Amino acid sequence: MTAHTSKTLRVALAGLGTVGAGTFRILTQNAKILESRTGVVLTVSAVSARNKNKDRGIDLANVAWEDDPLKLAVRDDVDVIVEVMGGEGDPAYALVKTALENKKHVVTANKALLAYHGTELSAIAEQNGVSLCYEAAVAGGIPIIKMIREGLGANNISGLYGIMNGTCNYILTTMERTGENFADVLSQAQKLGYAEADPTLDVGGGDSGHKLVLLCALAFGCKPDFKNLSVAGIDRLSAEDIQIASEFGCRIKLIGQAKKLEDGRILQMVAPSLVPKTSPLAHVDGVLNGIFAQGDFVGPSFVEGRGAGEGPTASAIVADMMDIAKGTAAPVFGVPVNDLAASPTATASDWSGEFYVRLVVEDRPGVIAEIAPILRDHRISIESLIQRGRSQDEPVSIVIMTHEAKGGDIADACTEIADLSCVLDNPLVMPVLNI
Ligand SMILES: NC(=O)c1ccc[n+]([C@@H]2O[C@H](COP(=O)([O-])OP(=O)(O)OC[C@H]3O[C@@H](n4cnc5c(N)ncnc54)[C@H](OP(=O)(O)O)[C@@H]3O)[C@@H](O)[C@H]2O)c1
């Protein structure tokens, strides 16, 4: 009987923070399972991080250390680079590019890097016959990349809608549960470690945008492009918005949506949106993520799970490594790079549907009479209107639910409305999703 000898896939980890250390832990703890499922031994040859002396709770005694992560890309004892440092620029960009040019596979969790440089990096991967995998970059532990690229690969996808930022979803869920305002809930989230000290990328919608761009590229076979994306965050929402949305039978969620318009253009936008309580997306609570996709043959599909954290994110990283070990990794955006269509051009102004518009106005007669003609002139009709009074002589909120209107018309009308002397703050506008 001949002894069974497995092949070996030699890995370098660039970054040993939450995701990097988690990846090392899975590779160690589940080594036998990984080998039996791939027929390949996955070993870590080398690592890099900023601080060599930090205790990370992992045993790096038999692993080479590089102070400069770029050196990992030229080592002879490395087949796969796992880039988990983060950031759209260097050293992550230089490392991934150099690694691919040196015919090393790359696994990354870095959505920002791919949202800006995905087309260029996928072309380099293809030219060099290596894989560039990023399951961990979108919705952490939920296998959404594989689902869209492979599981739903037989379908013409008409749209996808996702809650892709756990920090925002935690804040919105807590605001709804406690009735507290955005700023108070954000500061509690920061104390609990659910929000970064600088929360701009999360609450401003940029992080969801990075992820949406990647899903959009996969679903529609187009070049990822973060620049052509409308992004609005949750930082202007009040507890009152959440309560009024509820009276309309909806919950407010930060939704990234990508869909094909009737004229064939692809629209991508991130915006706080009213979601009917009957939609599965309305019930994605706390730090969870959820994504709803509509395919022509499969119909509606919905997945929910943990979008961040050490375990879920590292789980996705190792799944990508297993595909590389088995030789089953797919083209980066589902089709050869030369077949990718141009980047999406439609944005929020092309979105059609009902809108929620909240105005803060002076508490005096005649205000509605000033606003109504502006709406009429922009072809916007009112479905219902709620006025919330406060104490005497204080501003009041007026919430208008429109009939179907175009985002561009709503934006133009709101610019004019904001100029009225009776309007005291920029209007808050949210689309209403009918899914
Ligand atoms: N955390 C999550 O739940 C999650 C989920 C999905 C995707 N991601 C993505 O995964 C990536 C990593 O996230 P993370 O949460 O693991 O970040 P993290 O905990 O801050 O870890 C970053 C690691 O990169 C190292 N590093 C940073 N700059 C470096 C440099 N110039 N040279 C060498 N090493 C450097 C750090 O070294 P030191 O430890 O020495 O400081 C650290 O080990 C990011 O792209 C993030 O967006 C994270």
Side-chain angles (χ1 to χ4, degrees):
M1 200 168 109
T2 46
H4 170 74
T5 47
S6 289
K7 285 183 288 178
T8 300
L9 189 75
R10 301 159 305 169
V11 177
L13 298 177
L16 290 171
T18 306
V19 184
T23 301
F24 191 92
R25 268 187 270 279
I26 298 185
L27 291 174
T28 313
Q29 199 171 315
N30 286 355
K32 286 220 156 54
I33 294 176
L34 301 178
E35 184 183 348
S36 67
R37 289 181 183 162
T38 60
V40 176
V41 177
L42 304 177
T43 60
V44 178
S45 318
V47 295
S48 177
R50 280 178 297 214
N51 181 352
K52 191 175 177 181
N53 301 318
K54 203 190 262 184
D55 179 9
R56 303 168 191 278
I58 50 179
D59 180 5
L60 296 170
N62 297 317
V63 179
W65 176 276
E66 296 283 6
D67 284 324
D68 178 1
L70 254 74
K71 297 236 172 84
L72 297 173
V74 292
R75 287 181 68 103
D76 290 337
D77 60 352
V78 170
D79 307 305
V80 183
I81 300 285
V82 175
E83 185 283 303
V84 279
M85 295 181 291
E88 76 208 48
D90 291 338
Y93 171 72
L95 171 66
V96 170
K97 191 171 174 191
T98 313
L100 296 170
E101 285 166 348
N102 281 296
K103 300 196 187 312
K104 300 200 189 294
H105 304 285
V106 171
V107 176
T108 180
N110 191 338
K111 53 263 176 178
L113 174 73
L114 294 180
Y116 285 98
H117 305 292
T119 308
E120 181 202 8
L121 294 173
S122 55
I124 298 173
E126 201 173 286
Q127 279 152 21
N128 288 282
V130 287
S131 301
L132 170 57
C133 303
Y134 54 99
E135 185 64 71
V138 185
I142 305 174
I144 187 66
I145 304 294
K146 210 170 232 252
M147 172 175 144
I148 293 177
R149 185 168 48 197
E150 289 146 60
L152 303 185
N155 288 264
N156 190 352
I157 292 187
S158 54
L160 52 90
Y161 308 83
I163 294 168
M164 297 180 281
N165 185 280
T167 303
C168 290
N169 207 47
Y170 171 83
I171 291 172
L172 292 175
T173 309
T174 308
M175 283 172 71
E176 182 176 4
R177 186 172 45 78
T178 63
E180 291 170 294
N181 257 312
F182 171 79
D184 295 331
V185 177
L186 170 61
S187 91
Q188 288 162 29
Q190 285 169 319
K191 282 184 201 131
L192 290 168
Y194 292 150
E196 305 273 343
D198 177 1
T200 318
L201 201 55
D202 290 322
V203 302
D207 176 77
S208 297
H210 293 150
K211 296 164 181 169
L212 177 69
V213 157
L214 302 180
L215 292 188
C216 183
L218 267 179
F220 299 108
C222 56
K223 291 178 183 160
D225 184 4
F226 186 70
K227 290 188 291 301
N228 260 341
L229 174 76
S230 316
V231 180
I234 62 166
D235 39 344
R236 292 195 58 220
L237 296 182
S238 66
E240 191 176 50
D241 291 313
I242 290 176
Q243 197 204 325
I244 295 174
S246 179
E247 290 169 26
F248 285 118
C250 295
R251 300 180 77 190
I252 299 176
K253 297 288 180 188
L254 183 66
I255 301 285
Q257 59 169 303
K259 65 178 193 174
K260 201 176 268 176
L261 300 179
E262 276 172 15
D263 63 10
R265 285 182 305 152
I266 306 298
L267 173 147
Q268 49 180 10
M269 66 186 256
V270 174
S273 309
L274 272 69
V275 179
K277 288 178 187 170
T278 48
S279 164
L281 280 174
H283 301 282
V284 176
D285 280 336
V287 295
L288 293 181
N289 284 192
I291 294 159
F292 179 95
Q294 181 79 34
D296 55 353
F297 281 84
V298 72
S301 293
F302 174 70
V303 278
E304 178 180 10
R306 288 166 68 196
E310 175 181 321
T313 313
S315 156
I317 294 268
V318 176
D320 276 345
M321 288 165 48
M322 292 171 76
D323 277 346
I324 292 170
K326 291 183 286 185
T328 56
V332 184
F333 295 110
V335 297
V337 177
N338 276 340
D339 294 350
L340 286 172
S343 300
T345 52
T347 55
S349 59
D350 301 291
W351 194 87
S352 284
E354 295 165 1
F355 285 88
Y356 169 108
V357 181
R358 191 217 330 127
L359 306 171
V360 179
V361 299
E362 287 175 0
D363 188 12
R364 64 166 170 78
V367 166
I368 303 287
E370 290 183 52
I371 293 165
I374 298 177
L375 295 175
R376 180 201 59 212
D377 292 349
H378 289 279
R379 299 164 292 280
I380 298 161
S381 63
I382 297 175
E383 186 193 294
S384 53
L385 186 148
I386 292 182
Q387 179 171 327
R388 280 289 137 91
R390 301 196 187 161
S391 320
Q392 216 178 356
D393 297 330
E394 281 199 358
V396 295
S397 295
I398 293 177
V399 171
I400 296 167
M401 281 292 248
T402 74
H403 282 295
E404 180 158 342
K406 247 191 129 186
D409 290 336
I410 294 275
D412 292 344
C414 284
T415 305
E416 280 184 41
I417 289 171
D419 283 343
L420 295 173
S421 61
C422 61
V423 174
L424 305 172
D425 196 3
N426 269 334
L428 175 83
V429 176
M430 289 185 277
V432 183
L433 286 190
N434 262 323
I435 52 167

